[in-house]
Amino acid sequence: MKKLLWLVLLVLSSLVYPLAQAADDEFPFRVRYPDVAIMTTAELGKRFNDVLVIDVRSKYEFDTLHVKDAVNVPLTTGFGDKMVLLRDKHKKPFVFYCNGKTCLKSYDAVLLAAKARLDDIHAYDAGIFDWAKAQPEKTVLLGRSPIKPEDMIDKKRFQAHLLEPKDFGARVGDKSVVLDVRDRVQRDTALFPFKEQRAQLDELKKIDLVIEDAKANKKTLLVYDQTGKQVEWFQYYLENKGVKDYYFMKGGAQAHFDFTLGKVVLGSGDKGKDKPGKN
């Protein structure tokens, strides 16, 4: 009997461990935040009208795509104090979200809110993209709701508009318009002096002028940011404006410097280790 019981427990453990491992693989950072209460997509859908959904991403990301009726409170200095003020107005449970399963902001938001002595707080760590797929009628894209599944830009569609820094630079010329969309604090020097224009992502009037110039003169629009992340959101704006001929620099300005100057490996003393042409 004992042998049979042991065999049953062994079989059950062999089934449970792969399931737990799969969950960890899907949400790799949950293990770092054992004290954070998690709300799943299904749970948020059921409790949607009974909670306050808080988007902790940047305003630009929020304005592009967000959960319907969510409030935007970027995860910046003073976040805990802002949550205290928000709780004075809203007694519902708070649910924080960001971009997805590898984004830590939703977890950190819970910890900061807890530090400010708030309770009934949760992280929706599946993020905006899983929500948009599951609840298109409760999602807002560029001010429009509901959305359609085809409105979402998948990874393959984004990658089709990426160019390595070398190839990006090779396209700079009379047949293209280059746009630097880095924030002012990120700008140090122009990557293509006298051949590019600059506009932050929230400077839509400037951006629209550049877009119209490219379209009117049938030129390729070449866009770069600091690390290749902001352009993922900017693609929605370009598609909405009907721009077809455009490319982003893969990895942004940082990748350009890595390619032209070589990556600096701290402590190695060899700045040219990853420089093009080096073995």
Side-chain angles (χ1 to χ4, degrees):
M1 184 67 182
K2 289 183 178 180
K3 288 185 177 181
L4 180 59
L5 180 59
W6 175 253
L7 182 60
V8 170
L9 290 174
L10 187 62
V11 171
L12 287 175
S13 65
S14 67
L15 292 174
V16 170
Y17 179 77
L19 290 174
Q21 185 64 41
D24 289 344
D25 289 344
E26 185 176 6
F27 297 93
F29 295 108
R30 282 186 181 180
V31 68
R32 278 197 204 176
Y33 298 85
D35 298 326
V36 172
I38 303 298
M39 190 170 290
T40 66
T41 302
E43 290 171 336
L44 181 54
K46 290 179 181 178
R47 300 181 61 184
F48 188 75
N49 295 322
D50 302 318
V51 302
L52 180 68
V53 181
I54 303 172
D55 187 319
V56 296
R57 303 171 302 152
S58 70
K59 183 179 183 300
Y60 188 82
E61 291 170 314
F62 177 83
D63 288 343
T64 302
L65 181 72
H66 66 263
V67 175
K68 188 176 182 179
D69 298 331
V71 297
N72 181 219
V73 186
L75 198 66
T76 55
T77 303
F79 182 81
D81 294 334
K82 293 176 183 177
M83 289 302 101
V84 172
L85 293 175
L86 196 60
R87 175 51 60 85
D88 288 340
K89 298 178 181 178
H90 301 275
K91 303 305 180 184
K92 296 179 178 181
F94 285 2
V95 182
F96 304 99
Y97 78 91
C98 54
N99 280 329
K101 299 163 186 175
T102 58
C103 177
L104 305 183
K105 289 182 178 180
S106 62
Y107 304 121
D108 290 335
V110 171
L111 295 184
L112 288 172
K115 188 175 180 180
R117 299 186 178 182
L118 271 68
D119 57 6
D120 214 355
I121 47 181
H122 311 261
Y124 171 55
D125 59 351
I128 184 59
F129 295 107
D130 274 23
W131 177 261
K133 293 175 185 176
Q135 299 278 357
E137 72 283 358
K138 292 186 177 70
T139 304
V140 181
L141 175 62
L142 295 174
R144 299 191 301 270
S145 184
I147 69 170
K148 299 177 182 178
E150 57 267 27
D151 292 335
M152 298 299 296
I153 298 175
D154 58 23
K155 187 176 181 180
K156 183 178 179 181
R157 191 166 152 199
F158 173 65
Q159 291 179 338
H161 289 273
L162 290 181
L163 291 175
E164 294 290 344
K166 179 181 178 181
D167 299 323
F168 187 98
R171 285 178 177 256
V172 175
D174 295 337
K175 295 183 179 180
S176 65
V177 175
V178 182
L179 177 61
D180 173 2
V181 295
R182 290 178 294 174
D183 294 337
R184 290 186 184 89
V185 295
Q186 296 174 324
R187 294 173 184 166
D188 41 23
T189 184
L191 301 192
F192 308 99
F194 310 110
K195 296 180 180 179
E196 65 178 48
Q197 300 186 55
R198 291 180 165 185
Q200 292 189 155
L201 289 174
D202 58 356
E203 296 177 321
L204 297 182
K205 289 183 178 180
K206 285 186 179 181
I207 287 175
D208 286 346
L209 289 175
V210 175
I211 288 175
E212 291 307 314
D213 176 40
K215 290 170 67 175
N217 293 289
K218 297 182 180 180
K219 293 183 177 182
T220 301
L221 181 61
L222 302 175
V223 185
Y224 72 90
D225 60 9
Q226 181 64 15
T227 61
K229 297 296 184 181
Q230 290 177 304
V231 291
E232 292 186 46
W233 298 102
F234 187 49
Q235 186 173 15
Y236 282 99
Y237 189 77
L238 293 180
E239 293 279 342
N240 187 57
K241 286 289 183 177
V243 182
K244 303 298 182 183
D245 188 11
Y246 66 90
Y247 290 97
F248 305 124
M249 185 186 297
K250 185 177 181 180
Q254 186 58 57
H256 171 83
F257 290 128
D258 289 343
F259 173 75
T260 56
L261 302 177
K263 289 185 180 179
V264 177
V265 181
L266 296 179
S268 70
D270 183 2
K271 294 185 177 181
K273 184 176 180 180
D274 295 324
K275 199 168 183 177
K278 296 271 185 180
N279 293 322

